[in-house]
Amino acid sequence: METYIENKTMEKEGYFGIYGGQYINEELKIEFDNIYSKFLELKNDEDFQKELKDLLEHFSCRPTPVYFAKNLSQKTGCEIYLKREDLNHTGAHKINHCLGETLLAKKLGKKKVIAETGAGQHGVAMATAAALLGLECDIYMGEVDIQKAMPNVNRMKILGANVISVRSGQMTLKEAVDEAFSAYLKEYKTALYAIGSVVGPHPFPTIVEYFQSIVGKEAREQFIKMTGGLPDCVIACVGGGSNSIGIFDGFIDDAEVKIYGAEPLGKGEKIGENAASLTYGREGIIHGFKCLLLQNEDGTIADAYSVASGLDYPGVGPKHCYLKDIGRVEYKTINDVEAIDAFYELSRTEGIIPALESSHAVAYGLKFAKENKGKKILINLSGRGDKDIEFVMKNYPKAF
Ligand SMILES: *Cc1c(COP(=O)(O)O)cnc(C)c1O
């Protein structure tokens, strides 16, 4: 992962341009330095790499394939390819960093992982990895989200995790992170905070990116093998930014490949109606790091909304903010209706039901295809839609 861009920006450890950093107390800085040193050591440790590779291959079915979507391609006049992260164990890319983080926790001698979850996807992947590696697992989840995502709550419980209901504020993801973090402050000597995306204070964005970069590494090799060349563009949805940075890493040094991130526009452009931090955010600090952040006029953190609950975070990974600033990646918005349309389109033309999060990437891919005939488009299908079926049937039924 020693890319041109990283070398240029990582002059100051943990910063991506002006974003990122470590806005935390001194005591925790020492602990985070320990975590980072261990991580750097393990990155170069053959046994660790072997253990991780074995888990990814045999437990989570990597490498996931790149699939040529023939029907969609015929319909749009482009060549559309999907990187099938939906075929991972637990149904999304999240298992990639959860296996990495739990292995790291073991090597640090920790007994427990602590994590937050929104819709329960990160919670389920983390509970899965913790069960496999014999770690205790505390998952903090807003009470509103618990009520909305009962099947995932039950999965976590079956897997042996403690699901802790958070009842402050909006009772959703932001508050869950707040509470998970304060619990971690009390337990950091025996526990590791296993964050759900490329967010949080240094070194978490770097660690999670490293574990997700396998997506781009595989995809680049697979794409070249299949087509003899590189795609014209790569597209992924952006919540916190982990699946997107994972696939982008594979192509960031290929100047001829255009890269697009699809952000959730939710119900509209007003603050509070969307979760498009890169488009409508202003520089600010959340959960110990600096990023483009959705804020109210008075500077308080705004509520974030998207039909895809895995995307509704008011901040975003610091590297994305930097990639936007330097113009390497363009961030586009997709609203709820466009995402739902893409959800049905992919289901009915290809027989693949995508997660609502991933549907944002598919929607932008379809938009791009309309305006750019004949191009080769690679879309990261970050997860499958099983978890969204009940919600879609209830709220967005379509004629059958
Ligand atoms: C959680 C989730 C996302 C959003 O998280 P990122 O860190 O932005 O990748 C996207 N897709 C799926 C399927 C998810 O579960």
Side-chain angles (χ1 to χ4, degrees):
M1 289 208 324
E2 265 63 45
T3 63
Y4 167 68
I5 281 168
E6 271 182 32
N7 289 337
K8 257 186 84 165
T9 56
M10 298 292 279
E11 285 158 20
K12 206 167 156 214
E13 194 94 88
Y15 278 86
F16 304 88
I18 60 166
Y19 308 103
Q22 229 181 22
Y23 297 83
I24 50 174
N25 69 37
E26 287 304 318
E27 191 185 346
L28 216 50
K29 272 188 187 166
I30 297 170
E31 168 70 5
F32 282 19
D33 283 350
N34 289 339
I35 296 173
Y36 192 49
S37 312
K38 191 72 184 174
F39 165 73
L40 292 177
E41 178 194 318
L42 291 171
K43 249 175 77 168
N44 298 313
D45 180 307
E46 260 178 47
D47 290 340
F48 177 82
Q49 289 299 344
K50 202 166 157 280
E51 211 174 336
L52 180 63
K53 186 167 181 276
D54 186 62
L55 288 179
L56 290 170
E57 279 182 20
H58 302 289
F59 187 69
S60 193
C61 310
R62 301 210 72 87
T64 59
V66 166
Y67 167 72
F68 175 55
K70 193 167 113 219
N71 300 331
L72 212 52
S73 298
Q74 250 163 22
K75 235 172 137 171
T76 56
C78 279
E79 283 179 42
I80 298 181
Y81 298 82
L82 305 173
K83 175 65 171 162
R84 299 290 307 273
E85 288 303 292
D86 60 314
L87 295 178
N88 275 299
H89 181 40
T90 68
H93 69 289
K94 286 200 172 72
I95 194 76
N96 300 331
H97 66 248
C98 287
L99 287 170
E101 285 175 317
T102 44
L103 262 187
L104 175 62
K106 289 277 278 201
K107 305 289 172 190
L108 283 159
K110 307 290 185 190
K111 302 268 175 290
K112 186 196 265 186
V113 282
I114 295 177
E116 77 294 337
T117 196
Q121 292 306 106
H122 177 59
V124 169
M126 190 47 72
T128 300
L132 176 72
L133 292 168
L135 289 163
E136 280 177 58
C137 180
D138 285 355
I139 302 290
Y140 289 78
M141 187 169 182
E143 180 57 30
V144 168
D145 290 335
I146 288 184
Q147 293 309 326
K148 267 166 67 180
M150 218 24 112
N152 274 344
V153 174
N154 290 332
R155 278 184 194 108
M156 287 183 262
K157 287 183 176 166
I158 289 170
L159 290 159
N162 304 312
V163 181
I164 297 147
S165 163
V166 175
R167 293 162 184 273
S168 50
Q170 298 281 311
M171 299 193 255
T172 61
L173 181 60
K174 186 190 151 292
E175 293 80 18
V177 181
D178 291 340
E179 286 215 17
F181 210 74
S182 24
Y184 172 67
L185 284 175
K186 295 187 198 109
E187 296 185 70
Y188 71 82
K189 291 208 164 85
T190 52
L192 178 69
Y193 195 123
I195 211 156
S197 189
V198 283
V199 296
H202 173 69
F204 292 111
T206 302
I207 292 177
V208 173
E209 175 177 355
Y210 175 75
F211 291 128
Q212 286 297 345
S213 64
I214 184 143
V215 178
K217 194 162 174 256
E218 282 175 9
R220 189 176 191 278
E221 282 171 17
Q222 291 166 319
F223 200 92
I224 291 173
K225 204 168 163 198
M226 278 173 92
T227 69
L230 290 166
D232 294 300
C233 77
V234 173
I235 301 169
C237 68
V238 184
S242 66
N243 87 85
S244 46
I245 213 77
I247 195 156
F248 294 174
D249 271 347
F251 301 91
I252 209 115
D253 289 334
D254 300 310
E256 68 271 40
V257 179
K258 287 208 160 78
I259 304 182
Y260 299 101
E263 281 206 294
L265 186 60
K267 293 192 172 87
E269 292 176 7
K270 285 205 204 85
I271 289 288
E273 290 183 338
N274 63 66
S277 326
L278 289 151
T279 308
Y280 300 109
R282 289 180 285 136
E283 200 183 313
I285 291 168
I286 182 171
H287 299 137
F289 73 107
K290 190 184 277 184
C291 65
L292 292 170
L293 178 64
L294 293 172
Q295 300 172 52
N296 300 309
E297 267 169 36
D298 63 2
T300 51
I301 297 172
D303 294 333
Y305 164 79
S306 163
V307 70
S309 28
L311 301 180
D312 66 0
Y313 184 65
V316 64
K319 188 161 170 182
H320 285 289
C321 305
Y322 172 71
L323 290 172
K324 180 192 176 202
D325 276 6
I326 62 166
R328 178 62 186 99
V329 179
E330 278 184 59
Y331 295 90
K332 306 285 186 179
T333 57
I334 291 294
N335 66 33
D336 284 359
V337 174
E338 292 169 315
I340 295 284
D341 284 347
F343 173 90
Y344 277 110
E345 181 68 9
L346 189 67
S347 299
R348 293 182 178 191
T349 51
E350 294 290 344
I352 299 169
I353 303 177
L356 285 177
E357 290 80 8
S358 324
S359 300
H360 286 71
V362 176
Y364 185 67
L366 295 174
K367 231 184 206 180
F368 182 90
K370 249 191 205 145
E371 290 156 13
N372 301 275
K373 293 282 171 227
K375 299 286 187 201
K376 294 192 177 93
I377 303 170
L378 174 62
I379 301 171
N380 197 24
L381 202 67
S382 54
R384 60 176 175 245
D386 302 32
K387 66 185 178 61
D388 299 312
I389 284 168
E390 212 177 311
F391 174 85
V392 171
M393 289 299 280
K394 202 164 136 201
N395 298 283
Y396 299 93
K398 202 164 174 161
F400 292 96

